[in-house]
Amino acid sequence: MENSTPVLLSLVPIVGMGIGGVIIFFALLWHHTETKLRIQTGNYTKIKFDMKTYSLLIGLLLTGLGSILTIFFTLFVLFFNGPFPSLLGGFIPLSLGICLLIFHKVNYGGKKEKDDKS
Protein backbone atom coordinates (compact mmCIF):
# COMPACT_ATOMS: atom_id res chain seq x y z
CA MET A 1 0.00 0.00 0.00
CA GLU A 2 2.92 2.35 -0.53
CA ASN A 3 1.65 3.95 -3.73
CA SER A 4 -2.08 4.14 -2.99
CA THR A 5 -2.13 7.95 -3.25
CA PRO A 6 -2.28 8.10 -7.11
CA VAL A 7 -5.12 5.58 -7.09
CA LEU A 8 -7.09 7.61 -4.57
CA LEU A 9 -6.43 10.84 -6.44
CA SER A 10 -7.66 9.30 -9.67
CA LEU A 11 -10.94 8.35 -7.98
CA VAL A 12 -11.75 11.93 -6.95
CA PRO A 13 -12.86 13.15 -10.43
CA ILE A 14 -14.78 9.93 -11.07
CA VAL A 15 -16.73 10.21 -7.84
CA GLY A 16 -17.21 13.97 -8.39
CA MET A 17 -18.67 13.43 -11.85
CA GLY A 18 -20.95 10.70 -10.54
CA ILE A 19 -22.27 12.88 -7.72
CA GLY A 20 -22.62 15.85 -10.09
CA GLY A 21 -24.60 13.70 -12.53
CA VAL A 22 -26.96 12.58 -9.79
CA ILE A 23 -27.48 16.18 -8.62
CA ILE A 24 -28.17 17.39 -12.17
CA PHE A 25 -30.62 14.50 -12.73
CA PHE A 26 -32.63 15.30 -9.62
CA ALA A 27 -32.58 19.04 -10.36
CA LEU A 28 -34.02 18.40 -13.84
CA LEU A 29 -36.57 15.97 -12.40
CA TRP A 30 -37.63 18.55 -9.79
CA HIS A 31 -37.96 21.28 -12.43
CA HIS A 32 -40.01 18.98 -14.68
CA THR A 33 -42.32 18.01 -11.82
CA GLU A 34 -42.77 21.64 -10.78
CA THR A 35 -43.58 22.70 -14.35
CA LYS A 36 -46.02 19.82 -14.76
CA LEU A 37 -47.84 20.74 -11.56
CA ARG A 38 -47.99 24.42 -12.54
CA ILE A 39 -49.55 23.47 -15.88
CA GLN A 40 -52.13 21.30 -14.11
CA THR A 41 -53.09 24.08 -11.68
CA GLY A 42 -53.09 26.77 -14.38
CA ASN A 43 -50.32 28.90 -12.84
CA TYR A 44 -47.76 28.29 -15.60
CA THR A 45 -46.36 31.24 -17.54
CA LYS A 46 -43.80 30.63 -20.23
CA ILE A 47 -40.46 32.34 -19.61
CA LYS A 48 -39.35 34.62 -22.44
CA PHE A 49 -35.75 34.07 -23.52
CA ASP A 50 -33.90 37.21 -24.59
CA MET A 51 -31.68 35.95 -27.41
CA LYS A 52 -30.45 39.46 -28.20
CA THR A 53 -28.90 40.06 -24.79
CA TYR A 54 -27.73 36.45 -24.48
CA SER A 55 -25.82 36.44 -27.77
CA LEU A 56 -24.19 39.78 -26.97
CA LEU A 57 -23.19 38.75 -23.43
CA ILE A 58 -21.82 35.32 -24.35
CA GLY A 59 -20.07 36.77 -27.41
CA LEU A 60 -18.32 39.41 -25.32
CA LEU A 61 -17.37 36.92 -22.61
CA LEU A 62 -15.98 34.36 -25.05
CA THR A 63 -14.12 36.99 -27.06
CA GLY A 64 -12.51 38.38 -23.91
CA LEU A 65 -11.62 34.94 -22.58
CA GLY A 66 -10.31 33.77 -25.94
CA SER A 67 -8.16 36.84 -26.48
CA ILE A 68 -6.61 36.59 -23.00
CA LEU A 69 -5.91 32.86 -23.42
CA THR A 70 -4.50 33.39 -26.91
CA ILE A 71 -2.13 36.06 -25.65
CA PHE A 72 -1.09 33.89 -22.69
CA PHE A 73 -0.44 30.79 -24.79
CA THR A 74 1.38 32.82 -27.45
CA LEU A 75 3.73 34.18 -24.80
CA PHE A 76 4.12 30.66 -23.43
CA VAL A 77 5.11 29.36 -26.87
CA LEU A 78 7.51 32.25 -27.50
CA PHE A 79 9.32 32.24 -24.16
CA PHE A 80 9.22 28.62 -23.08
CA ASN A 81 9.05 26.84 -26.45
CA GLY A 82 5.91 25.08 -25.30
CA PRO A 83 3.63 22.98 -27.46
CA PHE A 84 1.96 24.83 -30.32
CA PRO A 85 -1.40 22.96 -30.03
CA SER A 86 -1.91 24.70 -26.69
CA LEU A 87 -2.85 27.81 -28.69
CA LEU A 88 -6.15 26.10 -29.53
CA GLY A 89 -7.13 26.71 -25.91
CA GLY A 90 -7.31 30.40 -26.79
CA PHE A 91 -8.32 30.29 -30.45
CA ILE A 92 -11.44 28.19 -29.88
CA PRO A 93 -13.23 30.53 -27.42
CA LEU A 94 -11.95 33.55 -29.38
CA SER A 95 -13.47 32.30 -32.62
CA LEU A 96 -16.73 31.31 -30.88
CA GLY A 97 -16.99 34.76 -29.31
CA ILE A 98 -16.34 36.54 -32.61
CA CYS A 99 -18.96 34.34 -34.32
CA LEU A 100 -21.54 35.19 -31.65
CA LEU A 101 -20.78 38.90 -31.96
CA ILE A 102 -21.21 38.63 -35.74
CA PHE A 103 -24.51 36.78 -35.15
CA HIS A 104 -25.66 39.56 -32.83
CA LYS A 105 -24.67 42.27 -35.32
CA VAL A 106 -26.32 40.56 -38.29
CA ASN A 107 -29.60 39.77 -36.51
CA TYR A 108 -29.99 42.76 -34.20
CA GLY A 109 -27.55 45.39 -35.44
CA GLY A 110 -29.76 47.84 -37.29
CA LYS A 111 -33.11 47.01 -35.73
CA LYS A 112 -34.64 49.30 -33.15
CA GLU A 113 -37.22 47.92 -30.81
CA LYS A 114 -40.67 49.45 -30.92
CA ASP A 115 -42.03 50.96 -27.75
CA ASP A 116 -45.42 49.62 -26.75
CA LYS A 117 -46.25 52.96 -25.07
CA SER A 118 -48.79 54.39 -27.48
Side-chain angles (χ1 to χ4, degrees):
M1 294 286 293
E2 287 181 23
N3 293 331
S4 63
T5 305
V7 174
L8 290 175
L9 287 177
S10 66
L11 291 177
V12 171
I14 295 170
V15 171
M17 289 172 58
I19 291 172
V22 170
I23 289 172
I24 289 172
F25 170 77
F26 281 112
L28 290 173
L29 181 65
W30 174 75
H31 178 70
H32 170 71
T33 306
E34 181 185 18
T35 304
K36 187 171 64 171
L37 289 174
R38 284 183 181 212
I39 290 172
Q40 288 174 354
T41 59
N43 294 333
Y44 180 72
T45 56
K46 187 170 180 157
I47 299 171
K48 290 177 57 178
F49 184 73
D50 189 11
M51 186 64 170
K52 179 180 178 181
T53 306
Y54 177 77
S55 65
L56 179 62
L57 173 67
I58 298 299
L60 289 173
L61 288 175
L62 284 174
T63 303
L65 176 71
S67 60
I68 294 298
L69 285 174
T70 302
I71 291 168
F72 173 75
F73 288 131
T74 303
L75 293 175
F76 182 75
V77 167
L78 292 176
F79 290 123
F80 298 113
N81 295 328
F84 185 73
S86 67
L87 284 175
L88 288 176
F91 286 143
I92 291 173
L94 179 64
S95 61
L96 287 174
I98 290 172
C99 289
L100 277 170
L101 290 176
I102 291 171
F103 167 79
H104 177 78
K105 181 68 175 171
V106 167
N107 285 332
Y108 307 110
K111 297 179 183 176
K112 292 186 179 180
E113 293 192 21
K114 297 178 182 176
D115 290 334
D116 290 335
K117 301 174 186 176
S118 298

